[in-house]
Protein backbone atom coordinates (compact mmCIF):
# COMPACT_ATOMS: atom_id res chain seq x y z
CA UNK A 1 0.00 0.00 0.00
CA UNK A 2 1.21 3.53 -0.75
CA UNK A 3 0.60 6.58 1.44
CA UNK A 4 1.70 10.14 0.90
CA UNK A 5 3.25 12.27 3.63
CA UNK A 6 4.02 15.96 3.77
CA UNK A 7 7.77 16.66 3.75
CA UNK A 8 8.07 17.31 7.49
CA UNK A 9 6.22 14.10 8.39
CA UNK A 10 8.20 12.11 5.81
CA UNK A 11 11.43 13.29 7.43
CA UNK A 12 10.20 12.27 10.90
CA UNK A 13 9.32 8.77 9.67
CA UNK A 14 12.69 8.56 7.90
CA UNK A 15 14.52 9.51 11.14
CA UNK A 16 12.41 7.06 13.14
CA UNK A 17 10.99 9.61 15.59
CA UNK A 18 7.47 9.29 14.19
CA UNK A 19 6.38 5.73 14.93
CA UNK A 20 2.60 6.16 14.68
CA UNK A 21 0.89 7.19 11.45
CA UNK A 22 -2.55 8.72 11.98
CA UNK A 23 -5.25 8.17 9.36
CA UNK A 24 -8.98 7.95 8.97
CA UNK A 25 -10.08 4.36 9.34
CA UNK A 26 -11.51 4.39 5.83
CA UNK A 27 -11.83 1.50 3.40
CA UNK A 28 -8.18 1.65 2.35
CA UNK A 29 -6.88 1.54 5.95
CA UNK A 30 -9.32 -1.23 6.92
CA UNK A 31 -7.47 -3.50 4.49
CA UNK A 32 -4.24 -3.13 6.49
CA UNK A 33 -2.96 -5.96 8.68
CA UNK A 34 -0.06 -6.27 11.08
CA UNK A 35 2.97 -7.31 9.03
CA UNK A 36 1.90 -5.48 5.85
CA UNK A 37 4.32 -3.11 4.16
CA UNK A 38 3.52 0.54 3.50
CA UNK A 39 5.46 2.55 0.94
CA UNK A 40 5.47 6.14 2.18
CA UNK A 41 6.32 8.84 -0.33
CA UNK A 42 7.01 12.52 0.07
CA UNK A 43 4.15 14.38 -1.63
CA UNK A 44 6.54 17.22 -2.51
CA UNK A 45 8.96 14.82 -4.24
CA UNK A 46 7.45 11.43 -4.99
CA UNK A 47 10.87 10.00 -5.84
CA UNK A 48 11.57 10.08 -2.08
CA UNK A 49 10.09 6.84 -0.76
CA UNK A 50 10.59 4.55 2.20
CA UNK A 51 9.01 1.30 3.29
CA UNK A 52 7.82 0.58 6.81
CA UNK A 53 6.06 -2.47 8.18
CA UNK A 54 2.83 -2.33 10.16
CA UNK A 55 3.62 -3.30 13.75
CA UNK A 56 0.23 -2.48 15.26
CA UNK A 57 -3.22 -1.16 14.40
CA UNK A 58 -5.43 0.53 16.99
CA UNK A 59 -8.82 1.97 16.18
CA UNK A 60 -10.30 4.98 17.95
CA UNK A 61 -13.54 6.89 17.71
CA UNK A 62 -11.88 10.33 17.65
CA UNK A 63 -8.51 11.96 17.09
CA UNK A 64 -8.61 13.20 20.69
CA UNK A 65 -9.03 9.64 21.96
CA UNK A 66 -6.09 8.53 19.83
CA UNK A 67 -3.77 11.39 20.74
CA UNK A 68 -4.39 10.87 24.45
CA UNK A 69 -2.74 7.44 24.11
CA UNK A 70 0.55 8.51 22.48
CA UNK A 71 3.35 11.00 23.00
CA UNK A 72 3.30 14.02 20.67
CA UNK A 73 6.65 13.03 19.13
CA UNK A 74 5.49 9.52 18.27
CA UNK A 75 2.63 10.92 16.14
CA UNK A 76 4.76 13.59 14.46
CA UNK A 77 3.82 16.59 16.62
CA UNK A 78 6.00 19.01 18.55
CA UNK A 79 6.88 17.87 22.10
CA UNK A 80 5.02 20.80 23.63
CA UNK A 81 1.77 20.14 21.74
CA UNK A 82 -1.19 19.04 23.82
CA UNK A 83 -4.10 16.89 22.63
CA UNK A 84 -6.25 19.93 21.79
CA UNK A 85 -3.53 21.43 19.58
CA UNK A 86 -2.91 18.12 17.81
CA UNK A 87 -6.65 17.82 17.06
CA UNK A 88 -6.73 21.38 15.67
CA UNK A 89 -3.72 20.58 13.47
CA UNK A 90 -5.37 17.37 12.24
CA UNK A 91 -8.58 19.19 11.33
CA UNK A 92 -6.51 21.14 8.80
CA UNK A 93 -6.21 17.80 6.95
CA UNK A 94 -9.38 15.90 7.84
CA UNK A 95 -12.84 17.19 8.75
CA UNK A 96 -14.80 16.36 11.88
CA UNK A 97 -17.45 14.86 9.57
CA UNK A 98 -14.87 12.44 8.15
CA UNK A 99 -13.78 11.58 11.69
CA UNK A 100 -17.40 10.81 12.67
CA UNK A 101 -18.00 8.77 9.51
CA UNK A 102 -14.88 6.60 9.62
CA UNK A 103 -13.26 6.83 13.02
CA UNK A 104 -9.48 6.93 13.13
CA UNK A 105 -6.63 4.45 13.23
CA UNK A 106 -3.17 4.57 14.74
CA UNK A 107 -0.78 2.62 12.53
CA UNK A 108 2.33 1.55 14.41
CA UNK A 109 5.31 1.54 12.06
Amino acid sequence: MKMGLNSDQFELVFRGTKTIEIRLNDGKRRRLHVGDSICFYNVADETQQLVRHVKSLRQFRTFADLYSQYSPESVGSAPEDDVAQMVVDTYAIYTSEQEKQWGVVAIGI
Side-chain angles (χ1 to χ4, degrees):
M1 177 177 299
K2 292 186 92 170
M3 291 188 203
L5 294 171
N6 290 329
S7 295
D8 61 328
Q9 297 297 302
F10 183 89
E11 181 63 28
L12 294 173
V13 171
F14 178 77
R15 283 193 265 148
T17 55
K18 179 178 179 170
T19 58
I20 305 293
E21 176 58 20
I22 308 308
R23 297 288 172 136
L24 293 172
N25 194 27
D26 59 12
K28 182 176 180 180
R29 262 46 72 167
R30 290 177 186 204
R31 292 193 307 265
L32 279 174
H33 297 93
V34 171
D36 286 353
S37 296
I38 300 172
C39 177
F40 290 103
Y41 62 91
N42 185 338
V43 295
D45 177 1
E46 293 188 19
T47 65
Q48 293 182 4
Q49 299 182 5
L50 52 93
V51 175
R52 294 292 182 267
H53 297 284
V54 177
K55 295 180 180 177
S56 64
L57 294 163
R58 290 184 64 195
Q59 298 175 12
F60 296 88
R61 193 174 54 79
T62 67
F63 290 113
D65 292 344
L66 186 155
Y67 289 133
S68 69
Q69 298 297 308
Y70 297 99
S71 70
E73 298 90 346
S74 70
V75 296
S77 294
E80 65 276 5
D81 285 354
D82 62 13
V83 169
Q85 183 60 53
M86 291 188 285
V87 170
V88 167
D89 293 344
T90 303
Y91 282 163
I93 301 167
Y94 300 120
T95 65
S96 61
E97 290 78 19
Q98 290 173 309
E99 176 187 46
K100 288 174 189 161
Q101 178 181 1
W102 296 105
V104 298
V105 62
I107 306 167
I109 52 174

